[in-house]
């Protein structure tokens, strides 16, 4: 990260981050161009021509991206310059791949327009991103009412269990609620609400939770009286796993709480206790919840039951056929895999742009996580540190679970690939998360007030000292 040194205060150098908005603009344009290029390559390889609506398409795509950049430039001039380009790149590649799968001929079905719908969700996500960036500005406003937010998050998580409201949409996991003609996943909103609630709660109680209880094998475990919050989250995650058949969300929310607990207290006893509870819950679910056993069987022995594990087997064949460099945009057969446009979009991309391309995508996700953690480290107060760390961990765990699932490192979890899988709930919530991360990074990187050195030495030996002058630094920026 580049920085400049401003006027040195009395006790040493003061490092101030540069704004880097022009660098962000250049990278935004590059990311938007890559997404558009993927779309055009699909058209050229499938139909041998450019789409007739290319000017409108390019204007719309570049327009929403540049609009997002201008709002960040206006409201958050010190925000991290890498986050927005990374998100635009992933979003563009996801749109191109969904458009490619829409072109697969299905004579028994009408023409599909998933990419058009996904573009609409992208625009709506960017609108909410703009609202967050413009309205929030200081993330500490979110620190109020942690208990109310915690309760709201739990209600959202368990909402699909309400009879007549929750639905599985024929996909196994009961994670949607339906209101009239619309449906969405409340868990996508809950992960933002709970991350804020956890950060607020742990900021207020981290010192109490850090108090050691019994010491076992050199590790300090927490006191029994402090186990209430982790037991509540464990029971909630078990309810999601058993009654909603949702392995991914169960793992994501419990893991999020345990990691933030560890970051807040710096006590290794908490993650060890969390791993034990995950192992215990997983063992119980394996023996008493049939779908968990199916997930593990599909992971460990997929070829023993071809009918049951068609999705996993097709994904493996697709990745193998793509090889290192892939078949090329529009030249593979990703639609043979069930849900190739949503849960399995990573294997669709791996088939057409190869393992090398898929590794590049993972690197982009890694940059997002790394910059989130960097914002946490740079933050000057505990709530910002915990919030940025928690939201960064949401991305890390989600990407690890879905990429690990489709490559058989882990059982399939049903989580979506952020910014790439089709789905409005996930797209909107992820854009909101990025908006909050940019706000935290702006507050962490912006120059704070500094004390000007006193020039009057005559007061040094006096009991009453003059009040030092405080001014805000105005560093040299490139914007």
């Amino acid at each position: 990260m580049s920085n400049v040194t401003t006027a040195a205060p009395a006790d040493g150098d003061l490092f101030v981050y540069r704004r880097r908005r022009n660098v962000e603009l250049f990278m935004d344009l590059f990311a938007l161009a890559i997404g558009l290029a993927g779309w055009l390559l699909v058209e050229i390889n499938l139909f041998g021509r450019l789409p007739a609506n290319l000017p409108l398409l390019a204007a719309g795509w570049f327009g929403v991206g540049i609009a997002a950049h201008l709002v960040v430039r206006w409201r958050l001039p010190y925000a991290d310059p890498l986050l927005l380009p990374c998100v635009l790149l992933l979003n563009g590649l996801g749109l191109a791949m969904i458009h490619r799968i829409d072109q697969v001929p299905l004579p028994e079905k009408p023409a599909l327009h998933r990419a058009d719908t996904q573009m609409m969700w992208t625009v709506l996500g960017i609108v909410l991103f703009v609202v967050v960036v413009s309205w929030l500005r200081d993330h500490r406003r979110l620190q109020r009412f942690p208990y109310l937010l915690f309760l709201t998050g739990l209600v959202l998580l368990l909402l699909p269990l309400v009879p007549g409201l929750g639905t599985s949409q024929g996909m196994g996991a009961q994670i949607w609620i339906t209101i009239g003609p619309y449906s969405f996943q409340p868990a996508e909103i809950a992960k933002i609400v709970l991350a804020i609630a956890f950060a607020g709660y742990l900021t207020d109680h981290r010192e109490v939770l850090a108090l050691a209880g019994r010491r076992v094998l050199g590790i300090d475990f927490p006191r029994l009286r402090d186990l209430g919050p982790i037991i509540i989250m464990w029971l909630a995650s078990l309810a999601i796993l058993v009654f909603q058949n949702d392995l991914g969300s169960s793992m994501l929310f419990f893991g999020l709480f345990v990691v933030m607990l560890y970051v807040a207290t710096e006590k290794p006893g908490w993650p060890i206790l969390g791993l034990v509870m995950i192992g215990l819950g997983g063992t119980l679910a394996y023996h008493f919840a049939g779908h968990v056993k199916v997930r593990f069987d599909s992971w460990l022995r997929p070829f023993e039951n071809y009918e049951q594990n068609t999705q996993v087997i097709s994904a493996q064949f697709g990745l193998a056929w793509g090889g290192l460099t892939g078949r090329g945009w529009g030249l593979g057969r990703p639609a043979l895999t069930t849900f190739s446009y949503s849960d399995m979009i990573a294997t669709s991309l791996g088939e057409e742009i190869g393992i090398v391309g898929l590794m590049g995508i993972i690197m982009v996700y890694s940059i997002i996580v790394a910059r989130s953690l960097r914002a946490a480290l740079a933050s000057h107060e505990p709530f910002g540190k915990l919030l940025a760390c928690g939201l960064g961990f949401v991305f890390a765990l989600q990407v690890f679970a879905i990429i690990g699932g489709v490559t058989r490192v882990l059982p399939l979890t049903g989580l979506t690939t952020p910014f790439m899988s089709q789905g409005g709930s996930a797209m909107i919530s992820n854009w909101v998360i990025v908006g909050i991360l940019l706000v935290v990074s702006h507050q962490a990187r912006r120059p704070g007030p500094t004390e000007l050195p006193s020039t009057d030495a005559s007061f040094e030996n006096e009991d009453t000292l003059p009040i030092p002058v405080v001014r805000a630094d105005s560093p040299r920026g490139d914007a």
Side-chain angles (χ1 to χ4, degrees):
M1 184 179 296
S2 176
N3 51 55
V4 295
T5 304
T6 62
D11 56 346
D13 291 339
L14 174 66
F15 296 97
V16 179
Y17 294 100
R18 296 177 67 176
R19 299 181 181 183
R20 312 288 284 179
R21 298 273 71 88
N22 287 338
V23 174
E24 182 193 78
L25 176 60
F26 173 77
M27 291 190 294
D28 284 342
L29 295 174
F30 185 61
L32 293 166
I34 291 177
L36 182 63
W39 188 294
L40 298 182
L41 284 173
V42 169
E43 293 284 326
I44 293 172
N45 287 337
L46 286 177
F47 308 114
R49 55 173 171 73
L50 293 174
N53 61 344
L54 175 58
L56 180 63
L57 180 70
W61 176 235
F62 277 85
V64 293
I66 293 174
H69 163 79
L70 291 177
V71 174
V72 173
R73 192 183 195 109
W74 170 45
R75 302 295 286 180
L76 305 175
Y78 290 97
D80 190 296
L82 274 179
L83 283 173
L84 185 58
C86 289
V87 170
L88 289 173
L89 175 59
L90 295 170
N91 204 154
L93 290 175
L95 281 167
M97 178 49 66
I98 294 171
H99 170 65
R100 183 267 172 275
I101 296 171
D102 280 350
Q103 308 310 311
V104 176
L106 293 173
E108 72 279 9
K109 292 184 178 179
L112 298 173
H113 300 282
R114 299 188 192 97
D116 297 341
T117 306
Q118 187 74 350
M119 188 64 200
M120 181 190 71
W121 290 121
T122 298
V123 173
L124 185 55
I126 292 178
V127 169
L128 289 180
F129 166 84
V130 168
V131 170
V132 170
V133 168
S134 304
W135 167 77
L136 187 57
R137 299 202 69 186
D138 189 345
H139 57 278
R140 286 170 291 188
R141 299 172 65 181
L142 301 173
Q143 192 175 349
R144 307 169 186 172
F145 316 117
Y147 295 99
L148 181 60
L149 290 174
F150 182 68
L151 183 61
T152 303
L154 284 183
V155 170
L156 286 170
L157 274 182
L158 303 179
L159 209 54
L161 296 178
V162 176
L165 191 61
T167 176
S168 65
Q169 296 193 345
M171 299 181 187
Q174 187 169 336
I175 55 177
W176 285 269
I177 64 170
T178 302
I179 301 176
Y182 303 101
S183 62
F184 72 98
Q185 298 180 43
E188 294 292 341
I189 309 299
K191 70 184 181 186
I192 303 174
V193 175
L194 286 177
I196 297 171
F198 293 162
Y201 171 78
L202 293 173
T203 299
D204 295 336
H205 297 86
R206 66 185 190 281
E207 294 180 356
V208 174
L209 295 170
L211 294 176
R214 289 184 178 276
R215 188 176 182 85
V216 179
L217 300 176
I219 300 173
D220 293 324
F221 285 91
R223 302 178 301 178
L224 287 176
R225 71 183 71 173
D226 299 327
L227 295 181
I230 196 170
I231 290 176
I232 292 174
M233 280 311 302
W234 183 64
L235 293 176
S237 64
L238 279 183
I240 296 169
L241 179 61
V242 174
F243 298 112
Q244 295 184 13
N245 300 339
D246 190 1
L247 177 61
S249 295
S250 172
M251 183 179 66
L252 179 67
F253 287 105
F254 188 68
L256 170 65
F257 183 69
V258 172
V259 167
M260 292 182 70
L261 198 51
Y262 172 64
V263 172
T265 62
E266 300 180 7
K267 294 293 182 184
W270 285 110
I272 293 174
L273 185 62
L275 287 174
V276 171
M277 296 175 79
I278 288 177
L280 178 61
T283 303
L284 292 174
Y286 180 83
H287 290 288
F288 297 104
H291 65 280
V292 176
K293 190 173 187 303
V294 170
R295 293 279 192 184
F296 274 81
D297 289 342
S298 301
W299 170 42
L300 298 173
R301 297 175 290 276
F303 294 96
E304 291 185 2
N305 190 337
Y306 183 83
E307 296 295 331
Q308 174 184 281
N309 305 322
T310 302
Q311 185 184 38
V312 176
I313 294 172
S314 298
Q316 301 301 300
F317 282 134
L319 283 175
W321 196 42
L324 281 177
T325 56
R327 311 304 299 181
W329 283 98
L331 301 179
R333 303 187 69 185
L336 293 177
T337 303
T338 311
F339 299 124
S340 57
Y341 50 87
S342 57
D343 293 8
M344 309 299 282
I345 196 168
T347 59
S348 303
L349 286 159
E351 182 176 337
E352 299 217 332
I353 63 176
I355 297 298
V356 173
L358 189 57
M359 291 301 296
I361 290 172
I362 295 173
M363 286 301 298
V364 176
Y365 281 117
S366 303
I367 292 172
I368 293 176
V369 175
R371 304 303 286 195
S372 303
L373 297 181
R374 182 138 189 159
L377 288 172
S379 186
H380 308 296
E381 37 77 35
F383 178 73
K385 289 181 183 294
L386 286 169
L387 184 58
C389 181
L391 295 178
F393 180 75
V394 166
F395 277 117
L397 184 57
Q398 196 164 344
V399 172
F400 174 69
I402 189 61
I403 301 292
V406 300
T407 54
R408 288 187 59 211
V409 175
L410 302 170
L412 272 178
T413 57
L415 291 173
T416 57
T417 311
F419 299 108
M420 304 187 84
S421 296
Q422 190 207 24
S425 309
M427 180 63 73
I428 290 173
S429 65
N430 287 325
W431 271 105
V432 170
I433 289 175
V434 171
I436 297 173
L437 284 173
L438 285 176
V439 171
V440 176
S441 70
H442 167 74
Q443 291 295 331
R445 293 160 56 95
R446 67 183 300 186
T450 58
E451 293 183 358
L452 295 178
S454 172
T455 57
D456 193 346
S458 63
F459 291 100
E460 289 181 355
N461 297 322
E462 298 292 338
D463 294 332
T464 302
L465 296 178
I467 299 175
V469 177
V470 177
R471 65 167 172 79
D473 289 309
S474 179
R476 175 170 55 89
D478 59 353

